[in-house]
Amino acid sequence: MSDPNNEKMPYSLNSRKVASATREWLHKRGVKVEEIAELVMLLQNKYYPDLTMQECLDNVEKVLAKREVQNAVLTGIQLDVLAEEGKLISPLQEMLVNDEGLYGVDEILAFSIVNVYGSIGFTNYGYIDKLKPGILERLNDKSTGETNTFLDDIVGAIAAAASSRIAHRKQAERERQNGEPEPELPED
Amino acid sequence: MSDPNNEKMPYSLNSRKVASATREWLHKRGVKVEEIAELVMLLQNKYYPDLTMQECLDNVEKVLAKREVQNAVLTGIQLDVLAEEGKLISPLQEMLVNDEGLYGVDEILAFSIVNVYGSIGFTNYGYIDKLKPGILERLNDKSTGETNTFLDDIVGAIAAAASSRIAHRKQAERERQNGEPEPELPED
Amino acid sequence: MSDPNNEKMPYSLNSRKVASATREWLHKRGVKVEEIAELVMLLQNKYYPDLTMQECLDNVEKVLAKREVQNAVLTGIQLDVLAEEGKLISPLQEMLVNDEGLYGVDEILAFSIVNVYGSIGFTNYGYIDKLKPGILERLNDKSTGETNTFLDDIVGAIAAAASSRIAHRKQAERERQNGEPEPELPED
Amino acid sequence: MSDPNNEKMPYSLNSRKVASATREWLHKRGVKVEEIAELVMLLQNKYYPDLTMQECLDNVEKVLAKREVQNAVLTGIQLDVLAEEGKLISPLQEMLVNDEGLYGVDEILAFSIVNVYGSIGFTNYGYIDKLKPGILERLNDKSTGETNTFLDDIVGAIAAAASSRIAHRKQAERERQNGEPEPELPED
């Protein structure tokens, strides 16, 4: 092209943009990090009675800072949005709009989020995804016209991942208090 | 060796032996297929009110006929038994005997079982593993001196896999009744 | 609505439509089942010198008949198509069009396909995805303007799954020839 | 017991012991971290020509500091050692000693290691596990009487995980050099 300002920039991944788009789209789809933190509290306060909402929030933030998580969130929300707009090919369109139980790709994306802090989060994810407490109940309300087929699983997975992170950190804390040498944290 | 009849046979996988050892070891460790079927009933009867115990049993049997499942069952029970006998290296020995929550390899093996019928079983596995109904409560009783660190997760995973199998089959049944051409079953 | 013919049918999953859309979209995106079968032959003929192209084809067909596989194929192709049309949100759009190496959701979907026949397919998938033989080279050609970020991984995964299926079946065949009682096939 | 000093200490996970047992057992089974680092170099130097052996080593060390990795390493080596000593139940014993291709639990453990740095490592794992370069060739030598059914997959998985870690870090480095604000590293 003749106009040099118009030239296509060579592609280069911008991690900051991926991170901020993740936050922005969660917000646009009506998900507050505080609500995810509430799920974490619900999952973890029986094991750690002193756990504070601030700790839950901090751990959700750390989970959301992971590239794997951001990619899964953006991809899942994208599919929800396009389904809501009726823009997917049939019969994918119908499966997503109706949250088809045998679809399963939503669980696969959710799982890639849980996995980031290892297998100990599997149980928490399944539990919360079945009971649908708090924000998960709202995301599952089929009467709104919204499509959150991916988002509800993703939000549950973020809460499960944050719970795993807390379990790892609390163990490290306990060992420090027992006078053990500072353990290297497994999530580093 | 001088006795030719005594010569070592070249190795060859005997699938029937793997299958029967799986059944035998579940029995030795106090797990009845009927108890796994009860977990399946508990997970599925709200979706299929007509579901019979015989169907649950049949589906558990089908799950147990899978090679992946048998390999995971045998490996998990082996580790439980050796831990119970105090024969593992430290600190693996201590982690297994105490069902360490941050160990996670038990969940990984369980997951390879659930996966055999796809991602739709993730949720059922997590749910049942958290609530520990029926046989799972007994397998988790730490006062018995037995070690079932792997087995309780494995039994829950078999029930979750059988539940997924039922969900796939019931869909095929429904479509046949709607006059749809016989769908190829996804689990073939 | 006043026109009863216009009334919305209640949603019901139609497995046959999902299966045929899968075949149709693979075709539209330029993938022939014969080309996937060639990948299978390449992966397996060193282990089974008598393996025929027809067997490879039959096994690819069986993999494509699985619901989990169809859902992953449709979802992946849908994302490729929308990326090609420039219809995704930024920066997902840029990541997909440029086949960003740190994206990873394409590998996750591919993995859900390989998993259908168990963990023994992991290695074949990784190997073929790295070497990019046959059709995979063409799907990776970035000069065409097409976006096959998901499709190339999906095609490799189908070939790896079909290879696993062959390995399971060949073992069953061998045991029958050895006079063992008919083993129950693990993939049933 | 009458001697109070002899009383059983209540169990408490000691992360430092798990970490040092991991290093010790890798050493006992003949695996040097330098050899794993060589696999990393082989996988990554075509993408990062300036990559040094020290960087490869450092990244292998970081992977080995993760709890999930340590648990998988210890469990896998334990099963190898017991198989070598002939102490497993039949037919698990025969499958492990003969590195049965349809066993698959070795791949499952390996996979839990790769997963720690996300799905982008899947391909590297499969590739290296198929080609068996360097130390992997030695671990696969069936003529030695040693059983490394789990260990070879585990070593390949550690190398693949370290490669993923490098890919994430190099991207962060590149973005810093482009004047982007310090991105939060996804692996924290």
Side-chain angles (χ1 to χ4, degrees), chain A residues 112-128:
Chain A
S112 73
I113 292 174
V114 179
N115 247 328
V116 165
Y117 289 95
S119 55
I120 64 165
F122 292 179
T123 299
N124 277 332
Y125 166 68
Y127 178 69
I128 214 169

Side-chain angles (χ1 to χ4, degrees), chain A residues 15-16 66 168 175 186-187, chain D residues 15 66-67 175 181 186-187:
Chain A
S15 300
R16 200 177 38 80
K66 293 243 184 194
H168 284 296
E175 296 188 30
E187 307 91 313
Chain D
S15 300
K66 292 242 183 193
R67 196 194 302 284
E175 296 189 30
E187 308 91 313

Side-chain angles (χ1 to χ4, degrees), chain B residues 24-176:
Chain B
E24 185 192 331
W25 277 97
L26 281 172
H27 178 76
K28 278 191 195 171
R29 302 297 291 177
V31 175
K32 294 196 183 72
V33 287
E34 288 77 13
E35 292 172 303
I36 311 181
E38 280 163 19
L39 297 177
V40 177
M41 180 58 90
L42 191 131
L43 283 169
Q44 295 304 103
N45 74 347
K46 103 172 148 178
Y47 307 110
Y48 313 106
D50 297 338
L51 188 69
T52 65
M53 266 303 289
Q54 191 56 49
E55 275 176 284
C56 294
L57 261 172
D58 291 348
N59 279 281
V60 170
E61 295 287 352
K62 288 293 186 187
V63 170
L64 288 174
K66 293 242 185 193
R67 197 194 303 283
E68 287 270 317
V69 175
Q70 294 164 358
N71 290 337
V73 170
L74 286 175
T75 306
I77 289 181
Q78 174 70 89
L79 287 162
D80 279 349
V81 167
L82 289 163
E84 210 170 285
E85 297 173 343
K87 290 187 179 158
L88 301 180
I89 56 183
S90 176
L92 191 61
Q93 173 67 36
E94 293 78 26
M95 286 197 282
L96 259 72
V97 165
N98 292 286
D99 202 357
E100 168 58 51
L102 299 179
Y103 175 55
V105 181
D106 39 350
E107 275 88 8
I108 288 166
L109 280 204
F111 226 70
S112 72
I113 292 174
V114 178
N115 248 328
V116 164
Y117 288 96
S119 55
I120 63 165
F122 293 179
T123 299
N124 277 332
Y125 166 68
Y127 178 69
I128 214 169
D129 193 58
K130 191 92 175 180
L131 291 192
K132 308 274 184 208
I135 183 176
L136 296 184
E137 189 185 1
R138 194 181 80 225
L139 291 175
N140 267 283
D141 183 350
K142 309 296 184 203
S143 69
T144 61
E146 287 169 19
T147 297
N148 292 314
T149 295
F150 279 90
L151 189 56
D152 68 329
D153 292 328
I154 281 170
V155 166
I158 295 170
S163 299
S164 300
R165 193 177 191 277
I166 288 172
H168 284 296
R169 299 271 154 172
K170 290 286 181 186
Q171 174 63 27
E173 225 171 78
R174 198 178 304 131
E175 295 188 30
R176 270 195 304 275

Side-chain angles (χ1 to χ4, degrees), chain D residues 10 13 16-17 32 40 44 49-50 92 112 137 158 182:
Chain D
L13 176 61
R16 200 177 37 82
K17 276 193 195 162
K32 296 197 183 70
V40 177
Q44 295 303 104
D50 297 339
L92 192 61
S112 73
E137 189 185 0
I158 295 169
E182 182 83 15

Side-chain angles (χ1 to χ4, degrees), chain D residues 112-146:
Chain D
S112 73
I113 292 174
V114 178
N115 247 328
V116 165
Y117 288 96
S119 55
I120 64 164
F122 293 179
T123 299
N124 277 331
Y125 166 68
Y127 178 69
I128 214 170
D129 193 59
K130 192 93 175 179
L131 291 192
K132 308 273 185 209
I135 183 175
L136 297 184
E137 189 185 0
R138 194 181 79 224
L139 292 175
N140 267 283
D141 182 351
K142 309 297 183 203
S143 68
T144 61
E146 288 170 17

